[in-house]
Amino acid sequence: MKDQDDIYHVQQILAGKTASFAYLVDRHKDMAFTIALKIVRNREDAEEITQDSFVKAYQSLRSFKGESKFSTWLYRIVYNAAISHTRRQKHEFTAIDESLIGNMTEDEIVENLDQLDREEQSKLVASAVDHLPPDESALVSLFYMQETSVEDISRITGLSVSNVKVKLHRIRKKLYDVMQQKMVRTQLV
Amino acid sequence: MLTDNRKEYDPKEMQPDEAIKRLLMYSKPESPSADFTARIMEQVLAEPVPEKSWLARNPWVLFIVTSAVFLLLFYFPIWSLFGYEFTPGQFLMYYAGKYVTTAALWLGEALSKFAGMGKMWYLIPVSVAILLLAVFDQAFSKRAHLKTA
């Protein structure tokens, strides 16, 4: 239903009712901003990228054929803009410290997480997500937070469906590794 | 509690891992600043969605006109323009010949300029090598970035 609303508002804009674009911005700004922020890791840059992406989406609205959801089309613009930005900036990312990764199983990690309260759990997992490389961090937001389908993630990122699946599988493993590493550091285990 | 279905997890099925999903459930998407929508609308209202040109909306007109011109050129028996008389097909052959000759002359001139460079000729392969190195460097750094990412 929400997707139909998007299409309706796109048609309204194309018919000359520019104010309808405010609905689309309000509805998608948070997720679009989150994708950009996960990739560029800087609020100011992320906001600028998201704003530019919305304006670009507006200007190329006629090329949106409705073959995919409007959100998928928009997030692809944001994702590409943010990735291009990081390529220009050439960010360095902290690699996972292998020496701190123990031999805990995923069940043991979850058991240890159970000892933490909800806020601490959220902080730990959010920090683990931030530890991932930018594109993987964005994939987590899309797949777990937005519950975007693998097919739509493939359209957004330009990766093949099988590549997205492989990446998500690796990301999941990495998240457990990083959480374990962080638990070792904070002597939770 | 983090009761989950991770043991049934199969990447081929690709259902979100419940444990991670539950952990992330409380992480809300981030929000941009409060005046974000207003700023975009201000920018957007200043420039309406670009209208498609009349020709872009009616591409068939271009097709019909082009086809008509070609038909005239090929099938009109004999016609004259500025004193020149053309027979079927001759018009196109005339211009094709003219442009091929111009291109060949330009190529010949460019080659003779390179040949006249004398001792400076080595600058050409050196420049090409530098250009190739820059291209390879960009390609490899992009690949390295993708691997890191």
Side-chain angles (χ1 to χ4, degrees):
Chain A
M1 191 62 195
K2 286 278 185 187
D3 296 332
Q4 291 303 312
D5 284 354
D6 282 355
I7 301 291
Y8 169 78
H9 281 90
V10 168
Q11 285 164 350
Q12 291 288 301
I13 298 159
L14 293 177
K17 291 178 182 165
T18 309
S20 277
F21 194 62
Y23 167 86
L24 296 174
V25 177
D26 272 335
R27 185 156 128 71
H28 299 291
K29 65 179 178 184
D30 286 356
M31 199 56 211
F33 178 66
T34 303
I35 293 169
L37 185 60
K38 292 287 174 201
I39 296 171
V40 300
R41 314 264 160 99
N42 173 299
R43 291 192 78 86
E44 284 76 32
D45 289 350
E47 192 152 326
E48 198 183 322
I49 287 165
T50 315
Q51 185 173 335
D52 289 349
S53 300
F54 269 111
V55 173
K56 193 176 171 189
Y58 172 79
Q59 286 168 342
S60 15
L61 210 53
R62 289 194 187 280
S63 67
F64 172 65
K65 305 287 180 206
E67 287 157 0
S68 64
K69 288 186 226 164
F70 174 78
S71 58
T72 305
W73 182 73
L74 173 73
Y75 297 159
R76 182 175 172 86
I77 297 174
V78 177
Y79 180 87
N80 285 338
I83 289 288
S84 302
H85 179 88
T86 54
R87 280 184 186 148
R88 283 197 299 272
Q89 301 286 312
K90 296 201 170 172
H91 281 301
E92 292 292 329
F93 303 104
T94 322
I96 298 166
D97 186 351
E98 301 284 342
S99 66
L100 287 172
I101 298 171
N103 295 318
M104 286 163 73
T105 63
E106 288 177 5
D107 285 331
E108 286 168 335
I109 296 170
V110 172
E111 272 171 33
N112 279 295
L113 282 168
D114 275 345
Q115 292 166 14
L116 306 174
D117 63 35
R118 189 174 286 171
E119 199 183 335
E120 283 174 319
Q121 282 178 358
S122 291
K123 271 187 189 167
L124 188 71
V125 75
S127 136
V129 172
D130 285 344
H131 224 79
L132 294 170
D135 63 330
E136 292 182 3
S137 184
L139 246 66
V140 170
S141 301
L142 286 165
F143 191 61
Y144 288 103
M145 287 166 73
Q146 182 78 357
E147 297 192 13
T148 309
S149 70
V150 172
E151 286 73 21
D152 279 347
I153 293 178
S154 158
R155 287 188 193 106
I156 292 167
T157 58
L159 300 167
S160 67
V161 170
S162 53
N163 203 346
V164 171
K165 286 181 179 178
V166 169
K167 268 189 175 265
L168 284 168
H169 184 59
R170 285 183 190 156
I171 287 168
R172 175 178 167 271
K173 196 179 171 311
K174 268 191 200 175
L175 277 177
Y176 280 111
D177 283 347
V178 176
M179 283 193 284
Q180 185 181 355
Q181 182 184 337
K182 285 187 178 292
M183 284 192 285
V184 171
R185 274 194 178 147
T186 50
Q187 294 179 325
L188 288 168
V189 289
Chain B
M1 293 294 276
L2 292 165
T3 47
D4 59 84
N5 65 350
R6 287 169 303 113
K7 281 174 185 166
E8 295 154 23
Y9 180 82
D10 176 3
K12 284 177 191 162
E13 293 294 322
M14 204 39 75
Q15 292 300 315
D17 176 41
E18 282 303 315
I20 293 176
K21 197 176 164 185
R22 276 162 198 263
L23 286 166
L24 282 166
M25 203 166 69
Y26 303 102
S27 318
K28 293 257 161 35
E30 302 275 347
S31 295
S33 54
D35 62 341
F36 184 79
T37 307
R39 270 190 285 130
I40 290 178
M41 289 314 290
E42 197 179 310
Q43 211 172 333
V44 154
L45 286 166
E47 42 177 319
V49 181
E51 275 286 318
K52 270 189 181 175
S53 67
W54 183 85
L55 207 58
R57 276 181 280 135
N58 303 287
W60 51 270
V61 173
L62 190 67
F63 176 75
I64 289 173
V65 169
T66 314
S67 308
V69 169
F70 268 87
L71 282 174
L72 280 173
L73 289 175
F74 275 105
Y75 294 107
F76 213 76
I78 296 176
W79 52 285
S80 67
L81 187 71
F82 304 121
Y84 291 97
E85 282 206 344
F86 294 96
T87 47
Q90 193 186 346
F91 180 80
L92 282 182
M93 290 307 290
Y94 167 75
Y95 273 100
K98 189 180 167 189
Y99 288 124
V100 168
T101 315
T102 311
L105 280 173
W106 181 85
L107 194 68
E109 254 180 57
L111 286 173
S112 65
K113 275 182 186 167
F114 280 128
M117 284 180 82
K119 285 181 180 177
M120 302 294 277
W121 69 270
Y122 65 87
L123 282 175
I124 300 168
V126 170
S127 311
V128 172
I130 291 170
L131 194 72
L132 282 175
L133 269 175
V135 170
F136 282 132
D137 176 59
Q138 280 295 309
F140 281 121
S141 61
K142 265 186 188 173
R143 205 174 155 188
H145 172 87
L146 283 174
K147 272 189 178 174
T148 323

